Amino acid sequence: MPLKLAVLLLVLLSAAVVGVRLDAQGADRAAPYKNPVLTVDERVKDLLGRMTAEEKAAMLSGSGWMESQPIARLGIPAIKMADGPMGVRNWRGSSAVTNAAATVPVTATAFPAGIGMAASWDLELVAREGRAIAQEVKALGRDMILGPTLNINRVPLWGRNFEGYGEDPYLAARMGVAYIKAVQAEGVIPSVKHFAANNEEYERHRIDEKISERALHEIYFPAFKAAVREADVWVVMNAYNKVNGLWCAENPYLLTDTLRKRWGFRGFVISDWGSTYSTAATINAGMDLEMPGGERMRIWLKKPETIRDGNGAGWLTADKVLAAVASGRVTQEAVDESVRGILRVMFSAGLFDHPHPGAGEVDTLEQRQVARTAASESVVLLKNAGALPLDPEKAHTIAVIGPSAAVPRTGGGGSSLVRPKYMVTALDGIQEASGGRSEIAYALGAAMEGEEAVQPPQALRDEAVALAKKSDVAVVVVGYSAKLEGEGFDRKSMDLPAGQDELIEAVAAANQNTIVVIQAGAPVTMSRWIGRVPAVVYAWYGGQEAGHAIGDVLFGAVNPSGKLPVTFPKELKDSPAYGHYPGENLHVEYAEGIYVGYRGFDKSGVEPLFPFGHGLSYTTFEYSRLKVAPARMAVGKPVNVSLRVRNSGRRAGAEVVQLYLQAPPSRLDRPIRELKGFDRVVLQPGETKTISFKINQDAMSFYDTGIQDWVAEPGKFGVLVGASSRDIRAQGEFELAQ
Ligand code: BGC
């Protein structure tokens, strides 16, 4: 008998004698960590106690591109990940690989980009999206989705603005919490990213951002803090960039002092793919799982473009971790703590008890319906001088024009780009929504910058102008593409890509009923033509159902209800961060401090093109009877605000009622107003609803760097309730007593 077999027999025999049951891998089937009745902490403690130092060290880095390290001896599975956040994306390689035409695609439902979800201001919808995505994760045999993106839109040029939830920390926090709770409720692991302050792609691996502590706590942290405190999020992904001199992966202020000590995070921190540059400093800072890992990482790390971009990886391999412990640079307890976090999440998500074998259904009718509703609710009607909704009685002929009319623009570029089973273009959607009542004709008008042009620009434009001239209405669908707005690079400017402004101008000159529809992830400059077109619709990147949403909004089958989650500046130079982006010699100073987005516009008095929170409807809403009670109260007590909102028009519609707080004069400078509540209310014509908000002490507080804590100072607070940050319809006040 071969020696191995003899040993195995002996082990099995002795196990039988002492009553231990072994599974296929030889692990003890009756071990407490396998018992789902025990608490997560009891199971973690038991399993950790059974692991060797080598096994623990091995768990600190991945085994492949999207898998953590399994330990077969103990039946520890790999965590199988997939990119997100707006759907389940291929996991077989980097975005350069999986976005390539040659890659066998993994298809899943493409939901609208995060910025579009934020524009819906609909938390219940975001929860439905999160649930659908989590179900697709499981159906595809994965365990974890790399999202949501909770970074703040600081500059209109950031390439990944489309992934995030806009410029306001409160809105981003609400969206993030809704998404995370829904995903975790399905036993799927979300990963909030990128902690912290990934606000530009320019030199994302090398840029050092100087950010005041106050701006971190008031602007860049709150969505992450809410994810931890309110949703008990299981995983946080660190950002590529440096914050105040240290890479995020080795930044104890971020990962230990703030995340764990201040907020009480108990899950694990995962590195962004290629964001590590050391062994001891990384583990000691509180980073737990380095990705990617294994052979895939080693091959990738040798590629010239990986090196050129500045990626770092391969620092938390088992041999390096063991050596760091042996030399005393890292304690065994620190390694144990990382493993503890990873196991805690795995048990919490049920990975030991209910593995996800895959082979489920994705893109079900229900999931498609969520995608369609989300796309519809994301659309923001920016301007409407009576041109919309289209009336088929008058719009007998409609010219649909532009580089985004017949080409689907489901999302921005990079790791978030989902490959759906089908995509509805704006042209398809308009055709469908017209229901044959209008005659629809199409012209490209201008090729998308970077895409092949079949004719010279002038010829394309002339053709479009001729079509517009003989049509009752012209719809020009323009914007960015995944190649011009995406991960790994910033936009070149805030202007529309080449030729699109000229196209709009030419079409608008030929047809006074020109409606502009824009698909992009962040604001664009409109100064050349905004005064010359009667309607502008912002559709972001709407996922696979974008075209239906556009058609439905144009024809009025959907009454638009989206509101801007970002301020639209007239020009880039009006952006509060202008002049402090992208930085010099790899240093960027966030000199605008807390005055990001509307906080900056309010402070400087600069008029935006469209303010934060703006969005029109086909109906009208009246606000009345604002009540704020009590009028005076002690620190720590909440304030109740209620008001009535009435649909005073003739169509059913939804209004996003926004509550801003105006702080009293304080020791520290404070923004003129800050969003602290919102509610999306659906109203039939003539219907009235009473809505209420609770303002707690957190909402009244600011972060005082002097004491490194939040304070609510006494004084009179203004309560501003309105349809946008600059369309305040009702005002009240309360006093916070000494
Ligand atoms: C991105 C992450 C993404 C990861 C894995 C990174 O380049 O920054 O957002 O989850 O790749 O694809």
Side-chain angles (χ1 to χ4, degrees):
M1 189 181 330
L3 185 64
K4 250 184 172 169
L5 199 61
V7 171
L8 188 69
L9 271 179
L10 201 68
V11 170
L12 288 173
L13 209 65
S14 47
V17 168
V18 294
V20 176
R21 287 174 290 132
L22 300 181
D23 63 17
Q25 277 82 31
D28 179 357
R29 221 185 298 153
Y33 76 90
K34 298 215 161 172
N35 181 359
V37 173
L38 297 184
T39 65
V40 166
D41 284 338
E42 283 165 343
R43 296 175 81 181
V44 170
K45 188 165 180 242
D46 176 63
L47 180 51
L48 202 66
R50 293 165 189 267
M51 295 176 75
T52 63
E54 288 74 17
E55 286 166 341
K56 290 175 187 167
M59 284 199 69
L60 269 51
S61 60
S63 63
W65 189 260
M66 283 271 168
E67 291 81 24
S68 69
Q69 182 66 54
I71 309 282
R73 183 182 76 84
L74 293 161
I76 304 178
I79 306 173
K80 299 190 273 341
M81 311 169 192
D83 249 316
M86 29 258 198
V88 189
R89 183 178 160 274
N90 208 333
W91 48 84
R92 298 192 179 113
S94 69
S95 49
V97 171
T98 53
N99 287 342
T103 313
V104 179
V106 166
T107 51
T109 307
F111 295 90
I115 192 77
M117 295 306 298
S120 78
W121 300 58
D122 186 343
L123 300 178
E124 196 266 332
L125 175 73
V126 175
R128 278 165 65 201
E129 180 212 17
R131 196 177 313 129
I133 290 175
Q135 284 165 355
E136 295 198 17
V137 168
K138 291 191 283 191
L140 289 162
R142 311 304 288 178
D143 310 312
M144 175 162 165
I145 181 97
L146 302 179
T149 301
L150 297 183
N151 296 119
I152 294 294
N153 180 328
R154 172 180 180 250
V155 273
L157 303 188
W158 180 38
R160 296 182 87 167
N161 271 328
F162 68 92
E163 276 186 49
Y165 292 127
E167 72 187 21
D168 181 75
Y170 180 79
L171 178 59
R174 303 301 5 117
M175 293 282 145
V177 167
Y179 184 107
I180 295 158
K181 280 187 172 171
V183 169
Q184 291 188 174
E186 289 291 322
V188 168
I189 308 169
S191 162
V192 291
K193 62 192 192 181
H194 310 83
F195 191 59
N198 179 183
N199 311 110
E200 55 186 72
E201 293 300 276
Y202 171 80
E203 285 287 2
R204 62 176 175 167
H205 293 275
R206 300 183 181 93
I207 195 82
D208 182 10
E209 304 166 348
K210 190 163 174 222
I211 314 177
S212 73
E213 205 180 330
R214 184 169 177 208
L216 283 173
H217 283 271
E218 290 194 20
I219 304 293
Y220 300 102
F221 284 172
F224 291 94
K225 176 178 164 188
V228 174
R229 287 261 178 97
E230 296 175 47
D232 197 11
V233 73
W234 289 333
V235 178
V236 173
M237 185 191 289
N238 73 249
Y240 282 133
N241 46 276
K242 295 178 185 172
V243 169
N244 294 328
L246 291 177
W247 268 302
C248 290
E250 49 189 69
N251 199 315
Y253 178 73
L254 294 179
L255 306 186
T256 297
D257 301 349
T258 305
L259 194 57
R260 290 188 165 84
K261 293 196 180 145
R262 191 182 274 272
W263 300 341
F265 178 67
R266 296 190 81 224
F268 69 85
V269 176
I270 193 168
S271 74
D272 198 347
W273 272 231
S275 68
T276 47
Y277 301 92
S278 65
T279 304
T282 298
I283 299 171
N284 292 338
M287 214 297 293
D288 306 302
L289 172 56
E290 181 192 59
M291 292 296 292
E295 197 47 27
R296 295 291 293 275
M297 175 273 293
R298 280 187 280 277
I299 296 167
W300 173 73
L301 202 53
K302 281 193 201 119
K303 292 191 172 170
E305 56 272 28
T306 311
I307 298 163
R308 179 204 61 206
D309 289 350
N311 287 285
W315 292 96
L316 263 54
T317 52
D319 54 337
K320 287 191 182 152
V321 173
L322 288 170
V325 173
S327 68
R329 286 172 301 133
V330 169
T331 62
Q332 183 58 48
E333 179 46 30
V335 176
D336 285 7
E337 191 51 30
S338 288
V339 178
R340 211 172 274 135
I342 297 170
L343 293 177
R344 200 180 283 132
V345 170
M346 293 178 75
F347 282 117
S348 301
L351 300 195
F352 284 80
D353 314 320
H354 326 281
H356 306 141
E361 205 189 337
V362 297
D363 203 34
T364 61
L365 277 180
E366 199 186 331
Q367 289 156 351
R368 284 181 185 180
Q369 194 50 51
V370 178
R372 182 164 180 166
T373 306
S376 303
E377 287 193 15
S378 74
V379 174
V380 181
L381 179 59
L382 289 177
K383 172 176 178 175
N384 187 18
L388 290 175
L390 293 173
D391 179 357
E393 297 295 317
K394 292 185 195 143
H396 298 291
T397 51
I398 302 175
V400 180
I401 295 166
S404 295
V407 179
R409 309 285 177 196
T410 60
S415 61
S416 65
L417 194 62
V418 174
R419 295 233 204 150
K421 293 197 167 149
Y422 68 90
M423 298 176 253
V424 184
T425 65
L427 182 59
D428 298 334
I430 292 170
Q431 226 138 21
E432 212 177 300
S434 84
R437 293 168 297 171
S438 309
E439 199 182 300
I440 316 282
Y442 164 73
L444 176 61
M448 177 64 78
E449 194 180 318
E451 288 175 12
E452 209 187 326
V454 275
Q455 282 169 276
Q458 188 64 48
L460 284 173
R461 206 154 52 225
D462 290 349
E463 189 187 18
V465 166
L467 181 65
K469 237 181 212 150
K470 62 177 192 193
S471 305
D472 297 325
V473 173
V475 178
V476 189
V477 192
V478 294
Y480 272 74
S481 75
K483 290 214 175 91
L484 299 176
E485 185 171 29
E487 181 184 330
F489 60 94
D490 286 333
R491 275 183 181 185
K492 279 190 306 194
S493 82
M494 207 176 90
D495 297 344
L496 280 167
Q500 298 187 11
D501 279 329
E502 291 80 355
L503 175 67
I504 299 169
E505 284 177 301
V507 172
N511 188 322
Q512 58 178 13
N513 295 320
T514 294
I515 292 148
V516 178
V517 177
I518 301 170
Q519 291 180 283
V524 300
T525 328
M526 304 184 196
S527 38
R528 282 174 61 173
W529 45 261
I530 185 78
R532 286 190 253 157
V533 297
V536 182
V537 170
Y538 226 75
W540 316 102
Y541 298 117
Q544 66 189 33
E545 287 285 346
H548 278 146
I550 292 168
D552 287 347
V553 164
L554 294 185
F555 279 95
V558 164
N559 187 354
S561 58
K563 301 270 189 175
L564 290 180
V566 284
T567 308
F568 274 40
K570 286 185 180 147
E571 309 288 337
L572 179 61
K573 65 172 172 42
D574 294 341
S575 163
Y578 183 77
H580 304 285
Y581 160 88
E584 285 172 1
N585 296 326
L586 303 178
H587 288 276
V588 57
E589 179 157 5
Y590 283 29
E592 74 286 358
I594 57 170
Y595 296 98
V596 174
Y598 65 87
R599 290 166 170 79
F601 281 85
D602 287 348
K603 185 175 170 68
S604 62
V606 171
E607 198 55 40
L609 179 61
F610 296 111
F612 176 82
H614 168 76
L616 305 171
S617 166
Y618 296 149
T619 187
T620 47
F621 300 98
E622 278 171 17
Y623 293 52
S624 64
R625 300 206 206 162
L626 178 74
K627 286 192 200 130
V628 182
R632 191 165 190 276
M633 80 306 170
V635 173
K637 292 276 184 294
V639 178
N640 297 306
V641 176
S642 69
L643 75 149
R644 285 164 67 116
V645 182
R646 176 169 171 266
N647 181 346
S648 48
R650 268 183 261 133
R651 282 168 183 270
E655 172 70 321
V656 177
V657 179
Q658 302 156 43
L659 186 153
Y660 297 85
L661 262 198
Q662 193 166 39
S666 305
R667 262 179 317 114
L668 302 187
D669 197 31
R670 298 192 67 180
I672 289 179
R673 79 200 87 191
E674 293 186 279
L675 181 74
K676 295 297 175 187
F678 61 86
D679 197 3
R680 182 178 187 276
V681 38
V682 180
L683 294 166
Q684 297 305 314
E687 193 186 1
T688 302
K689 276 186 189 159
T690 299
I691 55 175
S692 45
F693 301 96
K694 204 180 248 337
I695 306 174
N696 60 22
Q697 198 184 311
D698 284 354
M700 304 169 205
S701 308
F702 61 90
Y703 186 86
D704 186 345
T705 310
I707 55 164
Q708 298 194 316
D709 210 349
W710 291 85
V711 262
E713 279 187 355
K716 272 204 175 116
F717 285 80
V719 177
L720 317 176
V721 181
S724 91
S725 63
R726 296 207 172 187
D727 181 6
I728 300 304
R729 306 282 185 87
Q731 295 201 32
E733 60 175 31
F734 64 87
E735 191 180 346
L736 186 63
Q738 291 284 354

